[in-house]
Amino acid sequence: MRRSTILEVAHLASVSKTSVSRYFGDERARLSPALQARIAQAAHTLGYQPNQMARGLKGGRSKLVGMLVADIRNPFSVAITHGVEQACRQYGYSLLIGNTDNDPEQERQHLAVLGAYQVEGLVINAAGSPERQLHTFIHQGTPIVLLDREVNHVDAAVVGLDNHQAVDMALDHLAEQGYQAVLYASETPEQSSTRQLRLAYFNQSAKQRALSHSTLLLTPSDDTATLKALDHFIADHKHLPCAVLCGNGNATLSVTRLFQQLGLSLGKVGLMGIDELDWCSLVLPGITTLAQPTDAIGQTAIHCLMHQIAPHTTPMPTDLSFAPTLIKRGSTHQ
Amino acid sequence: MRRSTILEVAHLASVSKTSVSRYFGDERARLSPALQARIAQAAHTLGYQPNQMARGLKGGRSKLVGMLVADIRNPFSVAITHGVEQACRQYGYSLLIGNTDNDPEQERQHLAVLGAYQVEGLVINAAGSPERQLHTFIHQGTPIVLLDREVNHVDAAVVGLDNHQAVDMALDHLAEQGYQAVLYASETPEQSSTRQLRLAYFNQSAKQRALSHSTLLLTPSDDTATLKALDHFIADHKHLPCAVLCGNGNATLSVTRLFQQLGLSLGKVGLMGIDELDWCSLVLPGITTLAQPTDAIGQTAIHCLMHQIAPHTTPMPTDLSFAPTLIKRGSTHQ
DNA sequence: CTGTTAGCGCGTTCAC
DNA sequence: GTGAACGCGCTAACAG
């Protein structure tokens, strides 16, 4: 059995298809109550539902938002996606989602596809630097919002954490807890503006504070090298209380493993991470984190997008840069 | 600047729209090299891209797969989504995703929307029992694959873990490690056929084994009650080595918290969970789990769907029920 | 091999 | 209030 069309409903209700169209559009008010009832009845018995494809063809309104995620398995990305999806539905939009697994090539392909579906807006957590393609979208009038990561030469709103504030809050807390040497652990920052930003600002802020500090790049392949690097850092600051600050959730995971491998006691050597994770309270005595307001970030990205899609209907969010929340636990208590 | 149409390309290349259509369809071979070159050139300078909406309108092929997830923030769901998305792209389909937050009402809405977009197939991790709507889809010829959870009275392939095998593997392992009383901890099973199945089969299998056993329903609201229940179970079997088997990842998380609150030592009281999680190796001495092959499950769901969409092109996967992998850790070592 | 014609399902002028 | 006619961008017959 085929899906019924507007014409069939019109016939069954003995009205013109225009009336049916109006009923399902925003002009229901212009129909007489009698007609409305007949149409409602007919539509119901036929299980009719407007074809969004055909609708989009005519008006150019696909009611679709495209979203690209660099790593869909990352809990942080997931949490943000939750907020995005929620807000989309609230605006009556649907989410066409693409995971790029941090691969620029997949990102290219996905963007092409999203274009083919005439998405009305794009939310992008970039993996590479798809400037060209993004410019094409912008040129066509398709609004774009960047999530967490910037893209070179693309002038679009970026929604995410206030990275400077986050690093400062972390260093403040560590200082307060008496740690005097801090190692910043980060995944390789190549692809991510955020990783770069946090790393650079850590160095800057630590220097200003006259804090003994260093950085550690986590290479997935070479465990022993990073292990040694961490060990050295501790040894080099034998006389000072040391702490490690992790740039994101993955880094926290890796470093926690390193701590266990080296037999470091959490707290004696401080440990703190940006991004809150389910298990941070479980690894005793608990790992101190800076939690991001992920739902708010995701929702704001969509608000921001909708403001550009329908400027008159939707207000522009005032703030696109969010403050983290400090969650104190035992890992930063000597 | 508007998105250019097939007609504009045709004009610029001085050919008919049909030829352009053929070029971008599967009939490129039927065009002379000269034409191909002219079209390629024109399309490139115009940045042309076929409009998938219009395409779908004509042929009824939206190239869209709809996916409904009960809880998008659940790591298990996320892992499966990863596999689904990957396989979709491989088949040239895109993913319209909807999160229902375990709310039947949201599920209803999402299904309606997915219908409006003429999805060619549906992958559903059900929250409620949307029989009616699913039957509508089936009736229209839209194939459906169920993920992890069955839906009453809906005759569709279910892809997921072999729950019986999983429970047996768990009980085998626990017995092997010398545990003689087992408590099964599960989230409230109302909405999920899988939770029901595992719970029921646990009781059955434990009884057959003449194993001292009981069950514990985790109620998110009432922490103290569950705490007490766990405490009682241990006390009631003071003379026997006890273990807790957790029905899924969330249960493992909750129970691990309970263990810490009661000061239970992992291993002395055994702990084991279905679903592998990032942190299971971090909570010392590590939590033993049964890992699901999530990517394979997600991919198989799509293979299964594609087999129904295009029976001649795609083979039917032979197995829809997957065996877990036992990951032994310290929590099941006395 | 290539162009012509006719819809796909719907929204939108326009008249009535 | 209501209905007839046209076109959105594209593909599928059908010619040539």
Side-chain angles (χ1 to χ4, degrees):
Chain A
M1 193 182 79
R2 253 186 43 270
R3 186 168 250 296
S4 52
T5 76
I6 200 173
L7 208 60
E8 296 167 353
V9 176
H11 284 160
L12 183 61
S14 308
V15 298
S16 77
K17 50 177 204 148
T18 309
S19 299
V20 181
S21 171
R22 287 197 173 123
Y23 181 81
F24 285 99
D26 302 321
E27 312 180 70
R28 190 173 300 190
R30 284 172 50 184
L31 301 181
S32 67
L35 259 205
Q36 291 193 32
R38 298 210 330 258
I39 295 176
Q41 171 63 30
H44 185 72
T45 68
L46 258 48
Y48 169 76
Q49 229 186 332
N51 180 330
Q52 188 62 47
M53 294 277 162
R55 236 176 192 182
L57 230 205
K58 184 62 185 178
R61 327 235 32 168
S62 63
K63 285 283 178 182
L64 242 32
V65 167
M67 177 172 186
L68 250 42
V69 187
D71 177 6
I72 203 183
R73 285 182 290 199
N74 183 312
F76 168 68
S77 302
V78 170
I80 284 185
T81 303
H82 180 264
V84 167
E85 199 268 354
Q86 198 174 296
C88 273
R89 215 165 46 79
Q90 180 185 321
Y91 282 105
Y93 279 70
S94 296
L95 236 204
L96 211 43
I97 210 167
N99 172 45
T100 60
D101 271 338
N102 273 307
D103 174 4
E105 175 52 25
Q106 289 193 42
E107 185 164 67
R108 283 176 43 76
Q109 289 187 27
H110 269 128
L111 279 173
V113 172
L114 291 180
Y117 281 101
Q118 315 280 102
V119 295
E120 291 184 49
L122 236 31
V123 177
I124 297 189
N125 175 227
S129 283
E131 313 173 22
R132 286 299 295 264
Q133 285 176 294
L134 294 192
H135 279 140
T136 305
F137 278 102
I138 292 174
H139 216 63
Q140 286 169 183
T142 307
I144 296 180
V145 170
L146 267 19
L147 259 179
D148 184 64
R149 301 177 178 180
E150 308 183 11
V151 173
N152 291 335
H153 311 123
V154 171
D155 180 27
V158 182
V159 181
L161 191 69
D162 183 331
N163 291 303
H164 287 190
Q165 185 180 358
V167 169
D168 277 329
M169 280 174 68
L171 292 180
D172 285 347
H173 175 69
L174 290 174
E176 209 168 88
Q177 297 298 103
Y179 296 101
Q180 295 177 41
V182 178
L183 178 68
Y184 183 85
S186 168
E187 298 187 273
T188 54
E190 302 153 1
Q191 310 212 332
S192 157
S193 70
T194 292
R195 292 183 197 161
Q196 292 170 21
L197 217 68
R198 292 180 188 167
L199 186 58
Y201 187 73
F202 167 81
N203 278 320
Q204 177 189 327
S205 186
K207 184 181 281 181
Q208 277 178 6
R209 293 157 188 259
L211 184 70
S212 293
H213 67 282
S214 181
T215 63
L216 171 60
L217 256 41
L218 270 13
T219 50
S221 51
D222 195 356
D223 235 27
T224 56
T226 52
L227 208 62
K228 225 184 281 183
L230 174 55
D231 205 20
H232 280 351
F233 180 82
I234 310 276
D236 288 353
H237 300 82
K238 203 80 187 176
H239 50 300
L240 295 178
C242 291
V244 180
L245 174 58
C246 304
N248 67 12
N250 282 339
T252 306
L253 188 60
S254 301
V255 171
T256 304
R257 291 222 166 87
L258 296 180
F259 265 55
Q260 296 190 348
Q261 286 174 45
L262 290 174
L264 299 178
S265 147
L266 282 176
K268 183 155 181 327
V269 176
L271 177 60
M272 176 164 183
I274 297 179
D275 285 351
E276 164 71 358
L277 298 160
D278 277 345
W279 49 269
C280 285
S281 60
L282 292 181
V283 177
L284 298 177
I287 297 171
T288 298
T289 61
L290 290 174
Q292 299 197 40
T294 50
D295 267 334
I297 290 176
Q299 288 166 6
T300 300
I302 292 302
H303 291 325
C304 188
L305 204 60
M306 290 302 151
H307 168 72
Q308 295 177 65
I309 290 178
H312 311 294
T313 323
T314 319
M316 179 66 180
T318 52
D319 211 340
L320 306 181
S321 199
F322 289 79
T325 306
L326 174 64
I327 301 180
K328 299 184 190 180
R329 297 201 179 92
S331 72
T332 50
H333 189 80
Q334 295 187 54
Chain B
M1 196 179 76
R2 251 185 44 271
R3 189 166 248 297
S4 51
T5 78
I6 201 175
L7 205 61
E8 295 169 353
V9 176
H11 284 159
L12 183 60
S14 307
V15 298
S16 77
K17 344 180 271 169
T18 307
S19 298
V20 181
S21 172
R22 289 197 171 118
Y23 181 82
F24 285 98
D26 302 319
E27 312 182 70
R28 189 174 300 189
R30 284 171 49 184
L31 300 181
S32 67
L35 259 205
Q36 290 193 34
R38 299 219 315 268
I39 294 174
Q41 170 64 30
H44 184 74
T45 67
L46 259 47
Y48 170 76
Q49 226 186 331
N51 180 332
Q52 187 63 45
M53 293 277 159
R55 240 177 191 180
L57 189 53
K58 182 62 186 173
R61 330 236 28 165
S62 63
K63 285 285 179 181
L64 242 31
V65 166
M67 176 173 187
L68 248 41
V69 187
D71 177 7
I72 205 185
R73 286 182 287 199
N74 183 312
F76 168 67
S77 302
V78 169
I80 284 187
T81 303
H82 181 262
V84 167
E85 199 269 355
Q86 200 174 295
C88 274
R89 215 164 47 79
Q90 179 185 321
Y91 282 105
Y93 279 70
S94 296
L95 235 204
L96 210 43
I97 209 167
N99 173 46
T100 60
D101 271 338
N102 273 306
D103 174 5
E105 175 52 26
Q106 288 192 44
E107 186 165 66
R108 283 176 41 77
Q109 289 187 26
H110 269 128
L111 279 173
V113 172
L114 291 179
Y117 281 103
Q118 316 279 102
V119 295
E120 290 184 48
L122 235 31
V123 177
I124 298 191
N125 175 227
S129 284
E131 314 173 21
R132 287 298 297 264
Q133 285 177 296
L134 294 191
H135 278 140
T136 306
F137 278 103
I138 292 174
H139 215 65
Q140 287 168 183
T142 308
I144 296 183
V145 170
L146 266 19
L147 258 180
D148 184 66
R149 301 178 179 180
E150 308 183 10
V151 173
N152 290 336
H153 312 122
V154 172
D155 180 30
V158 182
V159 182
L161 191 68
D162 183 331
N163 291 304
H164 288 190
Q165 185 178 359
V167 169
D168 276 329
M169 283 175 66
L171 291 180
D172 285 347
H173 175 69
L174 290 173
E176 208 169 89
Q177 298 298 106
Y179 296 101
Q180 295 176 41
V182 179
L183 178 69
Y184 183 84
S186 167
E187 298 187 273
T188 55
E190 303 153 1
Q191 311 214 329
S192 158
S193 70
T194 291
R195 291 183 198 161
Q196 292 169 20
L197 217 69
R198 292 180 188 166
L199 185 58
Y201 188 72
F202 166 81
N203 279 318
Q204 178 188 328
S205 186
K207 184 181 284 182
Q208 277 179 7
R209 293 158 188 257
L211 184 70
S212 293
H213 66 282
S214 180
T215 61
L216 170 61
L217 257 40
L218 271 12
T219 48
S221 50
D222 195 357
D223 235 26
T224 56
T226 53
L227 207 62
K228 229 184 277 184
L230 174 55
D231 206 19
H232 281 350
F233 181 81
I234 311 275
D236 288 352
H237 301 82
K238 202 82 189 175
H239 50 298
L240 295 177
C242 292
V244 179
L245 174 57
C246 303
N248 67 11
N250 282 339
T252 306
L253 188 60
S254 301
V255 172
T256 304
R257 291 223 166 88
L258 297 180
F259 266 55
Q260 295 191 349
Q261 287 173 45
L262 290 173
L264 299 177
S265 148
L266 281 176
K268 181 153 182 329
V269 176
L271 177 61
M272 176 162 182
I274 297 179
D275 287 351
E276 163 73 358
L277 298 160
D278 277 345
W279 50 269
C280 284
S281 60
L282 291 181
V283 177
L284 297 178
I287 297 171
T288 298
T289 61
L290 290 174
Q292 298 197 42
T294 50
D295 266 333
I297 291 176
Q299 288 165 8
T300 300
I302 292 302
H303 290 150
C304 188
L305 206 60
M306 291 301 152
H307 167 71
Q308 297 178 63
I309 291 177
H312 312 294
T313 323
T314 319
M316 179 66 181
T318 53
D319 211 341
L320 305 182
S321 199
F322 291 79
T325 307
L326 174 64
I327 302 180
K328 299 184 191 179
R329 298 204 177 91
S331 71
T332 50
H333 188 79
Q334 295 187 52

